[in-house]
């Protein structure tokens, strides 16, 4: 997953060669939001490199962050609200069926973590895949609220 950091969208509209490969990995159409698909894609690349079955991928093949959260809850992958490297941090928009997801790569203090996210901005006008500093205790951009953590404790592929 770290190898994807710095990938930018071609026109800032969820497009570009790598972004389209990521979308396709989950059956998403071009221009679709891809934050969850980026995480699935990373797992798919890892199991292929390790010659494992796709059944080893710990999240569902779909595009919705809330779908991954609900899957984790159903399959016992929810983790206490104590972040670990590799956990997925999920936000949701109240009253909507969508949210956002990222994978924790650094744990700081007072709720601060660094998260690899797809379908996000770099603060300089570019959209793509970047490491963002987020706080587990606060809403994301005052629009998305923390849903919880999905536990996938491992080195980040």
């Amino acid at each position: 997953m770290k190898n994807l950091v710095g990938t930018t969208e071609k026109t800032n509209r969820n497009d570009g060669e790598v972004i389209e490969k990521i979308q396709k990995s989950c059956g998403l159409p071009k221009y679709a939001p891809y934050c969850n698909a980026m995480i699935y894609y990373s797992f798919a690349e890892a199991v292929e490199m390790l010659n494992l079955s796709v059944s080893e991928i710990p999240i569902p093949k779909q595009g919705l962050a809330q779908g991954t959260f609900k899957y984790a809850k159903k399959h016992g992958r929810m983790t206490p609200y104590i972040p670990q490297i590799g956990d997925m941090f999920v936000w949701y928009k109240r009253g909507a069926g969508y949210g956002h997801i990222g994978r924790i790569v650094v744990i700081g203090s007072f709720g601060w973590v660094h998260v690899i996210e797809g379908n996000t901005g770099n603060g300089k006008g570019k959209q793509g895949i970047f490491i963002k500093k987020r706080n587990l205790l606060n809403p994301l951009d005052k629009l998305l609220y923390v849903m919880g953590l999905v536990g996938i404790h491992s080195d980040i592929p």
Side-chain angles (χ1 to χ4, degrees):
M1 175 175 286
K2 287 181 181 177
N3 64 321
L4 295 172
V5 173
T7 300
T8 57
E9 298 170 7
K10 185 176 180 182
T11 66
N12 282 351
R13 292 191 330 228
N14 299 346
D15 59 352
E17 186 178 335
V18 174
I19 304 305
E20 290 166 25
K21 281 175 61 176
I22 290 168
Q23 291 160 329
K24 190 176 266 190
S25 75
C26 283
L28 298 174
K30 188 175 179 178
Y31 306 116
Y34 60 90
C35 61
N36 194 77
M38 180 214 48
I39 294 173
Y40 180 86
Y41 175 83
S42 296
F43 280 118
E45 291 284 301
V47 298
E48 185 177 322
M49 283 181 3
L50 297 170
N51 201 27
L52 299 171
S53 166
V54 293
S55 65
E56 299 290 329
I57 298 173
I59 65 172
K61 181 180 180 175
Q62 51 88 36
L64 294 175
Q66 283 191 26
T68 291
F69 185 84
K70 290 173 185 174
Y71 177 89
K73 194 172 184 179
K74 182 177 178 182
H75 291 90
R77 288 208 172 265
M78 294 307 301
T79 188
Y81 211 63
I82 301 168
Q84 292 188 40
I85 301 295
D87 283 351
M88 288 174 276
F89 182 15
V90 184
W91 299 271
Y92 72 100
K93 183 170 183 179
R94 287 197 179 141
Y98 61 89
H100 191 63
I101 190 168
R103 192 131 185 238
I104 297 172
V105 293
V106 174
I107 299 168
S109 54
F110 305 108
W112 289 101
V113 293
H114 291 191
V115 182
I116 296 176
E117 299 175 28
N119 207 168
T120 193
N122 69 352
K124 298 176 185 173
K126 284 302 231 177
Q127 297 289 312
I129 301 169
F130 304 104
I131 296 178
K132 305 287 283 204
K133 186 175 180 182
R134 303 290 191 192
N135 194 291
L136 295 168
L137 307 175
N138 293 308
L140 173 63
D141 300 329
K142 300 188 185 196
L143 296 173
L144 297 173
Y145 297 86
V146 177
M147 188 172 236
L149 300 173
V150 174
I152 307 292
H153 313 302
S154 65
D155 290 334
I156 307 298

